[in-house]
Amino acid sequence: MPFLRFLIIIFCLVCASCVMAKPLNQNEMLIRCQNRGWTEVKFKINNIERRLLYKLPQGEWINGAIAVMHGGGGQAEHFCDDSLNLVRPQVRFTEMALKDNFAVLALDSTSIVSDEAGFTCGKIWDDEVRSRENLDLPYLKHIFTNIIPSLRKKEDNKSIFLTGLSSGGYMTVRGATHLGDLITAFAPISNGDPYGWQRKCDPKYGNSRDNVKGAGFDNETKKQIIEENSCLSEIYPNEKKWDAFLGIKPKFRLFHSKYDGINDYSCGLKMEKQLLAHGFEGEPVYLLKNDGGKRQVINHFWHNEYNAELLQFFKRNIK
């Protein structure tokens, strides 16, 4: 079965990514980040404890601020602690961004997101349209309208950019299409359409990692998103209603691999098609070049190859 193979591959890949005999826990990683100049902020949104990490450039925010969102099972520290090989490209990205005079905020998901049936899904973003209120949109709004302005100096550039990997990529699109008047540009990585998929977290689907449950399915094909061409459809009658706002729609650029072994490339193409259909302007998809020429799990993750292209895209869209 595709999902069983997926579980085995993910387990092996995550284990192989550790550079220590025992991976560091969150507090140990937080201390390492703080030693590198990162600051933790805690606050409540709708009575839910939330947090993020941030680091500011040495001088003026010439290029504005970037908010980054981890993938499913990840955490904010994965953008500032490089004790895991798998997240080192993400850490390298934030280092490059700070050197390029961006402020950087590493956001952190909750562990209480539930699917439509009420099953808890684990450490993921609330990255689809559900019948209940979204947990993460108020969090993003608070960051854009309160936290970032409180950190800025008068001379700092006011541009705000949003990016994220996998579940964080889905949430990037959800945030940018809901709060687009607060965002300058956005660049999701290895994602699909948050309005056109659903996560099922019933225990019968197993756990892809210790802290992530369930499986993702496209609304049209009903296939798991790990399957080849899983999101390929000519029409989208099961697309959820998109959020609407009256402001200027931010520009986007997708980053993906043709051979993504976790979130099939067809899901990225569907996302691009939907964004364009809803009036968003985008640059051509950046496709991973060093992809091995075959579908594999490693192609799903953040790659060093993306970093300079992401920063150049954001700089092209500075206000």
PDB file of all heavy atoms in Angstrom, residues 78-100:
ATOM      1  N   HIS A  78      13.385  24.650  14.004  1.00  0.00           N
ATOM      2  CA  HIS A  78      13.980  24.059  12.805  1.00  0.00           C
ATOM      3  C   HIS A  78      14.449  25.099  11.795  1.00  0.00           C
ATOM      4  O   HIS A  78      14.985  24.750  10.741  1.00  0.00           O
ATOM      5  CB  HIS A  78      12.991  23.094  12.145  1.00  0.00           C
ATOM      6  CG  HIS A  78      12.804  21.831  12.928  1.00  0.00           C
ATOM      7  ND1 HIS A  78      11.786  20.936  12.700  1.00  0.00           N
ATOM      8  CD2 HIS A  78      13.521  21.303  13.948  1.00  0.00           C
ATOM      9  CE1 HIS A  78      11.872  19.921  13.531  1.00  0.00           C
ATOM     10  NE2 HIS A  78      12.924  20.132  14.305  1.00  0.00           N
ATOM     11  N   PHE A  79      14.256  26.384  12.137  1.00  0.00           N
ATOM     12  CA  PHE A  79      14.803  27.455  11.303  1.00  0.00           C
ATOM     13  C   PHE A  79      16.008  28.131  11.946  1.00  0.00           C
ATOM     14  O   PHE A  79      16.547  29.077  11.380  1.00  0.00           O
ATOM     15  CB  PHE A  79      13.721  28.492  11.007  1.00  0.00           C
ATOM     16  CG  PHE A  79      12.694  28.019  10.010  1.00  0.00           C
ATOM     17  CD1 PHE A  79      11.489  27.494  10.436  1.00  0.00           C
ATOM     18  CD2 PHE A  79      12.948  28.076   8.648  1.00  0.00           C
ATOM     19  CE1 PHE A  79      10.542  27.037   9.530  1.00  0.00           C
ATOM     20  CE2 PHE A  79      12.022  27.624   7.727  1.00  0.00           C
ATOM     21  CZ  PHE A  79      10.808  27.104   8.165  1.00  0.00           C
ATOM     22  N   CYS A  80      16.414  27.650  13.114  1.00  0.00           N
ATOM     23  CA  CYS A  80      17.568  28.271  13.771  1.00  0.00           C
ATOM     24  C   CYS A  80      18.508  27.275  14.436  1.00  0.00           C
ATOM     25  O   CYS A  80      19.605  27.650  14.849  1.00  0.00           O
ATOM     26  CB  CYS A  80      17.124  29.319  14.774  1.00  0.00           C
ATOM     27  SG  CYS A  80      15.853  28.792  15.947  1.00  0.00           S
ATOM     28  N   ASP A  81      18.119  26.020  14.553  1.00  0.00           N
ATOM     29  CA  ASP A  81      18.990  24.990  15.113  1.00  0.00           C
ATOM     30  C   ASP A  81      19.270  23.934  14.050  1.00  0.00           C
ATOM     31  O   ASP A  81      18.341  23.357  13.490  1.00  0.00           O
ATOM     32  CB  ASP A  81      18.348  24.327  16.333  1.00  0.00           C
ATOM     33  CG  ASP A  81      19.168  23.147  16.822  1.00  0.00           C
ATOM     34  OD1 ASP A  81      20.359  23.337  17.126  1.00  0.00           O
ATOM     35  OD2 ASP A  81      18.629  22.020  16.845  1.00  0.00           O
ATOM     36  N   ASP A  82      20.545  23.699  13.773  1.00  0.00           N
ATOM     37  CA  ASP A  82      20.924  22.795  12.677  1.00  0.00           C
ATOM     38  C   ASP A  82      21.392  21.427  13.163  1.00  0.00           C
ATOM     39  O   ASP A  82      22.202  20.768  12.513  1.00  0.00           O
ATOM     40  CB  ASP A  82      22.001  23.439  11.806  1.00  0.00           C
ATOM     41  CG  ASP A  82      23.259  23.787  12.599  1.00  0.00           C
ATOM     42  OD1 ASP A  82      23.315  23.499  13.808  1.00  0.00           O
ATOM     43  OD2 ASP A  82      24.192  24.363  11.993  1.00  0.00           O
ATOM     44  N   SER A  83      20.864  20.954  14.291  1.00  0.00           N
ATOM     45  CA  SER A  83      21.282  19.649  14.802  1.00  0.00           C
ATOM     46  C   SER A  83      20.711  18.491  13.988  1.00  0.00           C
ATOM     47  O   SER A  83      21.145  17.352  14.137  1.00  0.00           O
ATOM     48  CB  SER A  83      20.905  19.504  16.278  1.00  0.00           C
ATOM     49  OG  SER A  83      19.508  19.625  16.468  1.00  0.00           O
ATOM     50  N   LEU A  84      19.740  18.764  13.129  1.00  0.00           N
ATOM     51  CA  LEU A  84      19.204  17.757  12.205  1.00  0.00           C
ATOM     52  C   LEU A  84      19.628  18.104  10.779  1.00  0.00           C
ATOM     53  O   LEU A  84      19.416  19.227  10.328  1.00  0.00           O
ATOM     54  CB  LEU A  84      17.680  17.693  12.279  1.00  0.00           C
ATOM     55  CG  LEU A  84      17.038  17.248  13.593  1.00  0.00           C
ATOM     56  CD1 LEU A  84      15.525  17.309  13.479  1.00  0.00           C
ATOM     57  CD2 LEU A  84      17.474  15.830  13.944  1.00  0.00           C
ATOM     58  N   ASN A  85      20.220  17.145  10.090  1.00  0.00           N
ATOM     59  CA  ASN A  85      20.639  17.382   8.703  1.00  0.00           C
ATOM     60  C   ASN A  85      19.479  17.857   7.831  1.00  0.00           C
ATOM     61  O   ASN A  85      19.644  18.718   6.964  1.00  0.00           O
ATOM     62  CB  ASN A  85      21.209  16.098   8.101  1.00  0.00           C
ATOM     63  CG  ASN A  85      22.643  15.833   8.522  1.00  0.00           C
ATOM     64  OD1 ASN A  85      23.381  16.746   8.864  1.00  0.00           O
ATOM     65  ND2 ASN A  85      23.036  14.572   8.521  1.00  0.00           N
ATOM     66  N   LEU A  86      18.299  17.284   8.064  1.00  0.00           N
ATOM     67  CA  LEU A  86      17.157  17.532   7.194  1.00  0.00           C
ATOM     68  C   LEU A  86      16.726  18.998   7.184  1.00  0.00           C
ATOM     69  O   LEU A  86      16.179  19.480   6.189  1.00  0.00           O
ATOM     70  CB  LEU A  86      15.985  16.646   7.644  1.00  0.00           C
ATOM     71  CG  LEU A  86      14.877  16.353   6.629  1.00  0.00           C
ATOM     72  CD1 LEU A  86      15.439  15.635   5.414  1.00  0.00           C
ATOM     73  CD2 LEU A  86      13.782  15.528   7.283  1.00  0.00           C
ATOM     74  N   VAL A  87      16.948  19.713   8.286  1.00  0.00           N
ATOM     75  CA  VAL A  87      16.485  21.102   8.363  1.00  0.00           C
ATOM     76  C   VAL A  87      17.607  22.109   8.117  1.00  0.00           C
ATOM     77  O   VAL A  87      17.365  23.324   8.165  1.00  0.00           O
ATOM     78  CB  VAL A  87      15.808  21.396   9.724  1.00  0.00           C
ATOM     79  CG1 VAL A  87      14.655  20.432   9.951  1.00  0.00           C
ATOM     80  CG2 VAL A  87      16.796  21.340  10.880  1.00  0.00           C
ATOM     81  N   ARG A  88      18.796  21.651   7.846  1.00  0.00           N
ATOM     82  CA  ARG A  88      19.903  22.586   7.643  1.00  0.00           C
ATOM     83  C   ARG A  88      19.660  23.575   6.502  1.00  0.00           C
ATOM     84  O   ARG A  88      20.044  24.740   6.615  1.00  0.00           O
ATOM     85  CB  ARG A  88      21.206  21.819   7.437  1.00  0.00           C
ATOM     86  CG  ARG A  88      21.742  21.256   8.745  1.00  0.00           C
ATOM     87  CD  ARG A  88      23.064  20.542   8.577  1.00  0.00           C
ATOM     88  NE  ARG A  88      23.607  20.175   9.886  1.00  0.00           N
ATOM     89  CZ  ARG A  88      24.730  19.484  10.059  1.00  0.00           C
ATOM     90  NH1 ARG A  88      25.429  19.086   9.004  1.00  0.00           N
ATOM     91  NH2 ARG A  88      25.146  19.194  11.270  1.00  0.00           N
ATOM     92  N   PRO A  89      19.025  23.183   5.387  1.00  0.00           N
ATOM     93  CA  PRO A  89      18.728  24.181   4.345  1.00  0.00           C
ATOM     94  C   PRO A  89      17.809  25.305   4.845  1.00  0.00           C
ATOM     95  O   PRO A  89      17.928  26.449   4.411  1.00  0.00           O
ATOM     96  CB  PRO A  89      18.065  23.356   3.246  1.00  0.00           C
ATOM     97  CG  PRO A  89      18.637  21.980   3.422  1.00  0.00           C
ATOM     98  CD  PRO A  89      18.735  21.817   4.906  1.00  0.00           C
ATOM     99  N   GLN A  90      16.882  24.975   5.769  1.00  0.00           N
ATOM    100  CA  GLN A  90      16.003  25.997   6.334  1.00  0.00           C
ATOM    101  C   GLN A  90      16.793  26.973   7.201  1.00  0.00           C
ATOM    102  O   GLN A  90      16.568  28.188   7.161  1.00  0.00           O
ATOM    103  CB  GLN A  90      14.913  25.341   7.182  1.00  0.00           C
ATOM    104  CG  GLN A  90      14.009  24.409   6.396  1.00  0.00           C
ATOM    105  CD  GLN A  90      13.045  23.628   7.270  1.00  0.00           C
ATOM    106  OE1 GLN A  90      12.458  22.657   6.812  1.00  0.00           O
ATOM    107  NE2 GLN A  90      12.868  24.002   8.513  1.00  0.00           N
ATOM    108  N   VAL A  91      17.705  26.432   8.000  1.00  0.00           N
ATOM    109  CA  VAL A  91      18.549  27.279   8.841  1.00  0.00           C
ATOM    110  C   VAL A  91      19.433  28.163   7.969  1.00  0.00           C
ATOM    111  O   VAL A  91      19.603  29.359   8.233  1.00  0.00           O
ATOM    112  CB  VAL A  91      19.403  26.422   9.791  1.00  0.00           C
ATOM    113  CG1 VAL A  91      20.355  27.297  10.612  1.00  0.00           C
ATOM    114  CG2 VAL A  91      18.508  25.604  10.723  1.00  0.00           C
ATOM    115  N   ARG A  92      19.949  27.588   6.902  1.00  0.00           N
ATOM    116  CA  ARG A  92      20.773  28.354   5.974  1.00  0.00           C
ATOM    117  C   ARG A  92      19.955  29.487   5.350  1.00  0.00           C
ATOM    118  O   ARG A  92      20.468  30.603   5.159  1.00  0.00           O
ATOM    119  CB  ARG A  92      21.337  27.432   4.883  1.00  0.00           C
ATOM    120  CG  ARG A  92      22.187  28.129   3.830  1.00  0.00           C
ATOM    121  CD  ARG A  92      23.389  28.815   4.435  1.00  0.00           C
ATOM    122  NE  ARG A  92      24.197  29.496   3.426  1.00  0.00           N
ATOM    123  CZ  ARG A  92      24.888  30.598   3.652  1.00  0.00           C
ATOM    124  NH1 ARG A  92      24.881  31.158   4.855  1.00  0.00           N
ATOM    125  NH2 ARG A  92      25.592  31.164   2.683  1.00  0.00           N
ATOM    126  N   PHE A  93      18.688  29.230   5.062  1.00  0.00           N
ATOM    127  CA  PHE A  93      17.828  30.272   4.489  1.00  0.00           C
ATOM    128  C   PHE A  93      17.684  31.457   5.434  1.00  0.00           C
ATOM    129  O   PHE A  93      17.814  32.617   5.023  1.00  0.00           O
ATOM    130  CB  PHE A  93      16.440  29.710   4.164  1.00  0.00           C
ATOM    131  CG  PHE A  93      15.454  30.762   3.749  1.00  0.00           C
ATOM    132  CD1 PHE A  93      15.538  31.368   2.508  1.00  0.00           C
ATOM    133  CD2 PHE A  93      14.444  31.176   4.615  1.00  0.00           C
ATOM    134  CE1 PHE A  93      14.650  32.368   2.127  1.00  0.00           C
ATOM    135  CE2 PHE A  93      13.548  32.162   4.248  1.00  0.00           C
ATOM    136  CZ  PHE A  93      13.654  32.761   3.004  1.00  0.00           C
ATOM    137  N   THR A  94      17.395  31.202   6.697  1.00  0.00           N
ATOM    138  CA  THR A  94      17.216  32.316   7.634  1.00  0.00           C
ATOM    139  C   THR A  94      18.532  33.065   7.841  1.00  0.00           C
ATOM    140  O   THR A  94      18.530  34.293   7.986  1.00  0.00           O
ATOM    141  CB  THR A  94      16.659  31.837   8.986  1.00  0.00           C
ATOM    142  OG1 THR A  94      17.564  30.926   9.612  1.00  0.00           O
ATOM    143  CG2 THR A  94      15.301  31.175   8.801  1.00  0.00           C
ATOM    144  N   GLU A  95      19.646  32.354   7.832  1.00  0.00           N
ATOM    145  CA  GLU A  95      20.954  33.021   7.949  1.00  0.00           C
ATOM    146  C   GLU A  95      21.179  33.956   6.767  1.00  0.00           C
ATOM    147  O   GLU A  95      21.640  35.096   6.930  1.00  0.00           O
ATOM    148  CB  GLU A  95      22.073  31.987   8.035  1.00  0.00           C
ATOM    149  CG  GLU A  95      22.083  31.172   9.328  1.00  0.00           C
ATOM    150  CD  GLU A  95      23.092  30.036   9.300  1.00  0.00           C
ATOM    151  OE1 GLU A  95      23.565  29.674   8.189  1.00  0.00           O
ATOM    152  OE2 GLU A  95      23.399  29.494  10.374  1.00  0.00           O
ATOM    153  N   MET A  96      20.866  33.477   5.558  1.00  0.00           N
ATOM    154  CA  MET A  96      21.023  34.297   4.359  1.00  0.00           C
ATOM    155  C   MET A  96      20.089  35.504   4.389  1.00  0.00           C
ATOM    156  O   MET A  96      20.461  36.615   4.005  1.00  0.00           O
ATOM    157  CB  MET A  96      20.755  33.449   3.111  1.00  0.00           C
ATOM    158  CG  MET A  96      21.805  32.388   2.847  1.00  0.00           C
ATOM    159  SD  MET A  96      21.318  31.229   1.521  1.00  0.00           S
ATOM    160  CE  MET A  96      21.233  32.335   0.097  1.00  0.00           C
ATOM    161  N   ALA A  97      18.844  35.286   4.861  1.00  0.00           N
ATOM    162  CA  ALA A  97      17.868  36.368   4.914  1.00  0.00           C
ATOM    163  C   ALA A  97      18.313  37.463   5.884  1.00  0.00           C
ATOM    164  O   ALA A  97      18.219  38.658   5.581  1.00  0.00           O
ATOM    165  CB  ALA A  97      16.507  35.820   5.327  1.00  0.00           C
ATOM    166  N   LEU A  98      18.819  37.078   7.039  1.00  0.00           N
ATOM    167  CA  LEU A  98      19.286  38.059   8.022  1.00  0.00           C
ATOM    168  C   LEU A  98      20.479  38.844   7.491  1.00  0.00           C
ATOM    169  O   LEU A  98      20.565  40.065   7.664  1.00  0.00           O
ATOM    170  CB  LEU A  98      19.642  37.338   9.322  1.00  0.00           C
ATOM    171  CG  LEU A  98      18.443  36.841  10.135  1.00  0.00           C
ATOM    172  CD1 LEU A  98      18.869  35.752  11.109  1.00  0.00           C
ATOM    173  CD2 LEU A  98      17.787  38.006  10.867  1.00  0.00           C
ATOM    174  N   LYS A  99      21.375  38.136   6.829  1.00  0.00           N
ATOM    175  CA  LYS A  99      22.537  38.809   6.232  1.00  0.00           C
ATOM    176  C   LYS A  99      22.104  39.781   5.145  1.00  0.00           C
ATOM    177  O   LYS A  99      22.779  40.801   4.897  1.00  0.00           O
ATOM    178  CB  LYS A  99      23.492  37.760   5.658  1.00  0.00           C
ATOM    179  CG  LYS A  99      24.830  38.317   5.196  1.00  0.00           C
ATOM    180  CD  LYS A  99      25.759  37.204   4.744  1.00  0.00           C
ATOM    181  CE  LYS A  99      27.103  37.766   4.287  1.00  0.00           C
ATOM    182  NZ  LYS A  99      28.024  36.680   3.832  1.00  0.00           N
ATOM    183  N   ASP A 100      20.958  39.489   4.518  1.00  0.00           N
ATOM    184  CA  ASP A 100      20.422  40.330   3.451  1.00  0.00           C
ATOM    185  C   ASP A 100      19.479  41.405   4.002  1.00  0.00           C
ATOM    186  O   ASP A 100      18.703  42.002   3.254  1.00  0.00           O
ATOM    187  CB  ASP A 100      19.676  39.453   2.448  1.00  0.00           C
ATOM    188  CG  ASP A 100      19.967  39.838   1.009  1.00  0.00           C
ATOM    189  OD1 ASP A 100      20.644  40.859   0.787  1.00  0.00           O
ATOM    190  OD2 ASP A 100      19.509  39.123   0.099  1.00  0.00           O
TER     191      ASP A 100
END
